[in-house]
Amino acid sequence: MKIFERLESNVRGYCRAFPTVFTTAQGAELHDESGRRYLDFFAGAGSLNYGHNEPQLKQALLDYISADGIVHGLDMATASKRRFMEQFEQLILKPRQLNYKLQFTGPTGTNAVEAALKIARLVTGRTNVVAFTNGFHGVSLGSLATTANSHYREGAGIATSGVTFMPYDGYLGPEVDTLDYLDKALNDGSSGLDHPAAVIVETVQGEGGINVAELSWLQRLGHICKRHGVLLIVDDIQMGCGRTGHFFSFEAAGLQPDIITLSKSLSAYGLPFAMVLLKPELDQWKPGQHNGTFRGNNLAFVTAAAALEHFWQNDQFQVDVQRKGEILRQRLESIAADYPELSVRGRGMVQAIDCQEGELAAQITRHAFEQGLIIETSGSDDQVVKCLPPLIMTEQQLQQGLDILAASVSAAMARQARKQQFKFGAMA
Ligand SMILES: *Cc1c(COP(=O)(O)O)cnc(C)c1O
């Protein structure tokens, strides 16, 4: 590990949580250089929904590279881009009766969010954007302004502006419909809210602690936006591509957002790739007005098209994700049932245990790593243990991972109980 500590910037993060050197990976398993095997409950923060090195996607990629297919082509028309666009239209948009233009941005999620915010402001001529408490939309300046967590915001170095934060669903407890405030503020010229160009929202907050918006809340948000002429941007970078049990996470709510951002698992292979979907009337860019050297990644076009072909021809994959999501949910509920301080939430194959405090969650994930399970925390205090297994994980692997997680929870809870006992013992 020495060169990482000596030479790599202090900004490095995940290598601290998972202190080993990884070498190979297949499906839902990774291996390190000592030959240890790890089960993956993290999936590259949702970038590996189809697992590591999925064999069919790998073959498509190898064939393309062997044939000297175009690797870099700026945003020129290529056969691989055409294939992806045809498949995306045929297998994703048409069956859902969705009508969007496709904008290929720079290859990371935050690139897509920047483009979405820019076009929303350009089209409406307004600057303000409404974002939500605990939301995460990336760390480049425009996106960072819509990201709530001060840990990231403090890294900006300048004031981030043009954004008003509103309480996300559940922020004020289960009894309060937080949209009452947004609706009232939009209606009231003295609320202090500059009429926004757009609202940007995650249907389930991935980095912010697996906060799940009720479908009725999302529907009401859609209605409020429409009524006030505000564009609705759904950031589906982490929750899209099947994670919640449908290709888009907003499908269950029947929403038709004005703008959608996709990245993370879009390439299906862990390759960098991002896209913005725009209602056709919003596509008011002038040619080249927003650009980037790596717009569309031809290798990612190949694997993304192959994934659509292999996984999204019919409902089977989605039904399987929903079924495994249910198993995951029930097992977490039974793990948490023994401890009143733990609670479970999520949707589809993103489920989490809220530990209420970061130290306990860290104990659990540390123990899990020692037992061969890669699992991360999220939330404002990293207090939420989040399960984000690859969607292709077998039921057996899922149960194996959950066995490790269950053991890690009881080990961490026992340790905490011992600490409490010691404290009280010392007092008496
Ligand atoms: C990860 C993420 C982003 C940022 O993507 P990067 O590729 O890290 O820039 C934006 N929005 C959401 C919801 C994310 O989960």
Side-chain angles (χ1 to χ4, degrees):
M1 291 303 284
K2 285 218 174 67
I3 193 162
F4 303 101
E5 281 151 31
R6 182 166 53 78
L7 208 55
E8 190 177 0
S9 163
N10 200 44
V11 81
R12 67 194 188 280
Y14 293 121
C15 56
R16 300 173 196 265
F18 309 114
T20 188
V21 179
F22 295 101
T23 49
T24 59
Q26 224 304 303
E29 293 181 3
L30 294 97
H31 302 95
D32 71 10
E33 59 187 3
S34 73
R36 266 202 89 180
R37 181 186 83 110
Y38 299 85
L39 269 173
D40 193 355
F41 263 32
F42 186 35
S47 303
L48 293 160
N49 281 4
Y50 310 91
H52 298 262
N53 298 310
E54 204 285 330
Q56 291 161 305
L57 309 187
K58 178 165 73 178
Q59 196 54 53
L61 189 58
L62 288 171
D63 292 346
Y64 186 78
I65 291 173
S66 298
D68 282 333
I70 296 283
V71 172
H72 183 269
L74 293 160
D75 74 340
M76 291 190 280
T78 61
S80 62
K81 188 201 277 193
R82 179 172 56 206
R83 179 87 190 126
F84 169 75
M85 292 175 76
E86 287 168 351
Q87 296 290 54
F88 194 81
E89 182 174 50
Q90 211 52 43
L91 299 175
I92 302 300
L93 295 180
K94 281 229 173 106
R96 292 165 181 77
Q97 295 171 334
L98 297 174
N99 183 19
Y100 289 97
K101 296 284 284 287
L102 276 51
Q103 180 184 359
F104 301 109
T105 63
T108 69
T110 198
N111 288 140
V113 172
E114 295 285 351
L117 295 171
K118 258 172 86 168
I119 195 66
R121 287 172 168 138
L122 257 160
V123 167
T124 59
R126 304 178 205 134
T127 44
N128 199 28
V129 167
V130 165
F132 290 97
T133 51
N134 285 305
F136 181 87
H137 302 288
V139 295
S140 58
L141 281 177
S143 311
L144 183 59
T146 64
T147 289
N149 190 322
S150 57
H151 170 65
Y152 301 116
R153 299 171 63 75
E154 280 162 10
I158 62 168
T160 53
S161 62
V163 175
T164 304
F165 285 92
M166 289 282 164
Y168 192 70
D169 191 20
Y171 192 70
L172 299 169
E175 279 79 44
V176 179
D177 185 342
T178 56
L179 288 175
D180 289 347
Y181 179 61
L182 176 63
D183 196 23
K184 176 144 192 190
L186 285 168
N187 276 315
D188 176 7
S190 282
S191 68
L193 175 68
D194 291 333
H195 199 70
V199 166
I200 183 164
V201 69
E202 299 160 88
T203 61
V204 177
Q205 295 183 321
E207 298 303 302
I210 315 301
N211 305 309
V212 183
E214 293 281 345
L215 300 182
S216 57
W217 187 90
L218 292 168
Q219 285 156 357
R220 187 176 174 207
L221 179 62
H223 292 139
I224 291 172
C225 286
K226 200 156 277 162
R227 189 147 29 83
H228 293 280
V230 173
L231 299 174
L232 178 63
I233 304 171
V234 170
D235 181 350
D236 229 7
I237 288 172
Q238 187 162 156
M239 293 303 150
C241 303
R243 177 56 58 185
T244 64
H246 300 275
F247 186 84
F248 296 109
S249 72
F250 52 80
E251 282 177 52
L255 285 185
Q256 291 220 357
D258 298 293
I259 302 174
I260 303 156
T261 54
L262 288 171
S263 182
K264 290 209 165 86
S265 274
L266 183 59
S267 80
Y269 204 73
L271 294 167
F273 183 32
M275 179 165 77
V276 179
L277 303 181
L278 302 161
K279 287 257 175 85
E281 64 274 19
L282 299 178
D283 186 27
Q284 296 176 26
W285 293 112
K286 295 187 177 67
Q289 190 176 20
H290 185 82
N291 61 25
T293 307
F294 293 101
R295 265 170 299 161
N297 170 346
N298 279 276
L299 300 182
F301 285 138
V302 171
T303 51
L308 294 178
E309 220 169 291
H310 291 304
F311 293 96
W312 296 95
Q313 290 280 359
N314 52 47
D315 280 354
Q316 221 176 328
F317 182 63
Q318 297 181 72
V319 170
D320 195 49
V321 171
Q322 289 161 19
R323 183 181 64 83
K324 283 186 287 193
E326 206 43 53
I327 295 171
L328 178 57
R329 174 62 174 244
Q330 281 173 9
R331 195 68 204 281
L332 292 187
E333 299 265 13
S334 82
I335 292 172
D338 293 335
Y339 311 102
E341 58 268 61
L342 304 184
S343 58
V344 176
R345 55 177 184 257
R347 177 172 289 145
M349 282 273 270
V350 50
Q351 298 287 341
I353 302 179
D354 189 336
C355 302
Q356 295 192 57
E357 48 146 324
E359 183 45 39
L360 180 58
Q363 290 280 348
I364 293 169
T365 55
R366 214 174 299 137
H367 188 279
F369 178 71
E370 283 160 15
Q371 304 305 311
L373 180 70
I374 309 265
I375 186 165
E376 247 299 46
T377 55
S378 90
S380 52
D381 190 28
D382 289 322
Q383 77 282 22
V384 179
V385 176
K386 106 172 164 180
C387 299
L388 214 62
L391 306 180
I392 50 82
M393 189 172 248
T394 64
E395 210 176 309
Q396 195 191 5
Q397 287 172 319
L398 193 59
Q399 296 290 8
Q400 246 173 39
L402 286 161
D403 289 343
I404 298 175
L405 184 60
S408 305
V409 169
S410 47
M413 295 307 276
R415 198 188 138 115
Q416 205 180 45
R418 275 199 305 276
K419 252 171 55 186
Q420 290 287 343
Q421 230 168 25
F422 178 74
K423 228 164 56 189
F424 290 125
M427 260 157 38

